Amino acid sequence: MSTPSPSLRGGILVSTAGVFGSAFLWLLSFKAVALWMGPEGVGLFSQMRQMAQAATVGATFGGTNSVVQGLSERHEEAARRQFRATAARLVGMSGLMVVLAILVAAPALTQFFLSSGAPALVATVRWLALAVLLNVAGTYALAVLNGYRSYPYLALAQIAGPAALVMLLAGAWWWRLPADPFVLSLSFVVCFGITCLAGLFGMSRLPRLAAALPAPRLAKAESRVFLRFALSNLAAALSTTLALLLIRSWVIEARGLAFAGLFDAGWTLTFNYTTLFLTACSAIYLPLLTRATDAQSQKACMLKTAYLVLAGGVLVCYGMVLLKAPLIKLLYSPEFQPSGEVLSVLVIAVLFRSISWVYGTMILATRNSRVLLLSDLALNLSLLATVKFALVGFSSLSALAWAFVLPNFLYLVFVVEYAGYKNPLMRRRLIWPFLLAAALPLAALVLTGAGAAQDWSIEQWCCLLVGPAVAAASLVAYKRVVL
């Protein structure tokens, strides 16, 4: 595996800027909703976003991975055009079917996922169908730009929509508009619409064919291969999205929108944005890992990514634990201080999730559809079981947060073992010491009840100082891996 070229390194920087810019703008949108509508508004906004994401995942066969994978495997522009024609037709048809289903089933969806049959909320869900249609088109455009490594236009599309979203929600708060769910659905329409337009503009700047294609679409055999992998990817991704959607509906039903809003604040600051960041990082990592054909280059690609992700994740997670009170006040409002209980626990799950993403991407890169499906189903079923247990047996935010730690730890164990099975050079000792050294002090901080920084004991400060040491060790290990 060769060292990335200067142009690729520049693309990585641009893509990273797009990822962080998009995540920051979504964070500002939650801040605007928190100031405008309070915890209940955040709970509703987050659930609507999850509903739109679930529908989009279903319509795009699991998101961008299937299209990125297909384009990365094809180097000739003619082959890429044939693949795009087939993928666009399939995504377009599934998108229309999903949107029609939302329009028809809006009352049932509102009752199930929002625990309400209010006409205003039913109308809001119907408007959300338009946002889903735009998001499907935008997601396909982002996947194509990703597959072509058109990183400047990819970053533009990633940032443009959330920027419009923030402006609309900030305007609603500034002008003290009534807390109307319709404005939230309108904000999603604007956000995904701008993203779609920016993505289509980027696609218009891609290379053009000099002559017409002899066959406008893929052959039937190639189409079946793509569809088989896409359906497996869909089932795996949709199981995750639907599990989170179901969990939020359980929380709303059992504890109300305000409790759900407090949990979502901690979730958004930790797990949600980590997942968004890692998904966006696949723009770089998945194509590189797919092209790593021998065991040594595959090992180098995975370890470099794992150490870099771990170093950054450790610094961010420990920093959030240290500054959780002012961070929540700054990014939400003083009403959301109980969300600190969620944040302190979920950072542990975040570290597990980050490394399992690095190792688990091998399943995508090798297109092992059966393992992809079964592993994700097992993860999400165990997550649903632990969350249900926490909601029935406990009433605290921290108990609900702990329900996410165990399933993610078990999934991490599985993907590390799977990577070692597929590539004997991927030894357990290359990652577990770093990861345990990072996670155990965070667990100790939660169990000792660390509060504000000025009230912490010497032992708790010692736990906190482990984070920078682990991050430094990860960076040293990163530099020792030769591509």
Side-chain angles (χ1 to χ4, degrees):
M1 183 176 176
S2 60
T3 303
S5 64
S7 60
L8 178 57
R9 289 196 294 268
I12 291 173
L13 292 176
V14 172
S15 180
T16 302
V19 170
F20 279 104
S22 175
F24 178 70
L25 289 168
W26 274 103
L27 192 60
L28 290 182
S29 71
F30 275 92
K31 168 73 172 179
V33 174
L35 293 173
W36 176 36
M37 302 177 70
E40 290 191 2
V42 170
L44 179 60
F45 182 70
S46 183
Q47 182 70 332
M48 289 175 61
R49 182 188 181 190
Q50 191 68 36
M51 292 170 68
Q53 183 179 354
T56 302
V57 165
T60 56
F61 298 94
T64 62
N65 285 333
S66 300
V67 175
V68 173
Q69 177 83 4
L71 290 173
S72 297
E73 289 181 336
R74 294 166 171 82
H75 303 287
E76 298 294 331
E77 182 59 25
R80 286 183 166 186
R81 289 284 176 161
Q82 290 175 329
F83 175 81
R84 284 172 54 185
T86 299
R89 179 172 58 89
L90 292 173
V91 169
M93 291 173 57
S94 61
L96 288 175
M97 292 174 60
V98 168
V99 168
L100 290 175
I102 294 174
L103 292 174
V104 172
L109 293 173
T110 306
Q111 183 64 50
F112 186 80
F113 292 118
L114 299 177
S115 298
S116 174
L121 286 178
V122 174
T124 297
V125 170
R126 287 202 169 102
W127 274 101
L128 198 62
L130 175 58
V132 169
L133 182 63
L134 294 170
N135 198 26
V136 169
T139 300
Y140 172 75
L142 292 177
V144 172
L145 295 175
N146 188 346
Y148 276 85
R149 295 188 180 183
S150 183
Y151 296 125
Y153 291 111
L154 177 63
L156 173 65
Q158 287 172 326
I159 292 175
L165 175 73
V166 170
M167 288 189 287
L168 194 153
L169 293 174
W173 165 68
W174 180 261
W175 294 105
R176 299 292 190 271
L177 296 183
D180 189 350
F182 168 74
V183 180
L184 295 181
S185 62
L186 178 62
S187 70
F188 285 113
V189 172
V190 172
C191 173
F192 298 141
I194 296 297
T195 297
C196 178
L197 291 175
L200 293 177
F201 173 74
M203 288 177 60
S204 71
R205 313 300 294 178
L206 294 175
R208 297 181 180 274
L209 278 175
L213 290 173
R217 294 193 293 266
L218 292 177
K220 289 185 178 180
E222 289 184 288
S223 297
R224 284 195 295 269
V225 171
F226 165 70
L227 192 58
R228 188 182 304 114
F229 175 69
L231 289 174
S232 298
N233 189 51
L234 166 64
L238 196 58
S239 69
T240 300
T241 307
L242 288 178
L244 295 175
L245 188 58
L246 185 57
I247 286 170
R248 282 189 169 90
S249 67
W250 285 350
V251 174
I252 292 171
E253 183 181 13
R255 304 283 187 267
L257 274 173
F259 186 94
L262 293 173
F263 179 79
D264 276 317
W267 168 270
T268 301
L269 290 175
T270 55
F271 217 98
N272 186 60
Y273 280 106
T274 298
T275 302
L276 288 176
F277 170 71
L278 294 176
T279 301
C281 283
S282 64
I284 306 298
Y285 179 49
L286 179 57
L288 290 178
L289 188 59
T290 301
R291 290 181 173 88
T293 55
D294 62 280
Q296 184 60 43
S297 61
Q298 192 178 69
K299 171 190 172 183
C301 182
M302 292 180 67
L303 286 181
K304 266 195 169 296
T305 305
Y307 291 142
L308 194 60
V309 166
L310 182 61
V314 165
L315 291 177
V316 170
C317 288
Y318 276 75
M320 285 195 296
V321 171
L322 175 63
L323 303 172
K324 62 181 178 180
L327 188 65
I328 291 172
K329 183 177 180 181
L330 174 66
L331 298 177
Y332 286 88
S333 71
E335 293 180 88
F336 287 81
Q337 285 304 323
S339 300
E341 300 177 35
V342 179
L343 186 151
S344 297
V345 177
L346 283 185
V347 289
I348 304 171
V350 159
L351 292 178
F352 296 154
R353 172 61 182 162
S354 299
I355 302 304
S356 66
W357 169 79
V358 176
Y359 278 70
T361 303
M362 180 184 281
I363 304 174
L364 281 173
T366 56
R367 295 202 305 185
N368 195 329
S369 303
R370 182 178 299 177
V371 173
L372 176 68
L373 176 59
L374 294 179
S375 62
D376 276 67
L377 284 176
L379 168 64
N380 291 300
L381 287 175
S382 62
L383 180 59
L384 288 172
T386 54
V387 166
K388 193 66 174 178
F389 176 77
L391 287 174
V392 172
F394 304 92
S395 59
S396 66
L397 287 165
S398 59
L400 182 57
W402 276 111
F404 285 80
V405 175
L406 179 59
N408 280 281
F409 175 77
L410 295 176
Y411 183 72
L412 173 64
V413 172
F414 167 75
V415 293
V416 170
E417 293 301 315
Y418 176 83
Y421 171 74
K422 298 294 288 187
N423 186 343
L425 298 178
M426 296 297 297
R427 306 293 179 83
R428 301 182 189 93
R429 58 182 172 81
L430 296 174
I431 192 62
W432 276 115
F434 295 93
L435 191 55
L436 292 177
L440 290 177
L442 291 173
L445 287 174
V446 174
L447 296 176
T448 55
Q454 62 267 24
D455 297 329
W456 287 2
S457 66
I458 297 297
E459 292 79 7
Q460 290 166 341
W461 272 108
C462 289
C463 289
L464 194 66
L465 292 174
V466 172
V470 174
S474 299
L475 290 176
V476 170
Y478 165 81
K479 291 181 179 179
R480 289 178 177 173
V481 178
V482 179
L483 287 176

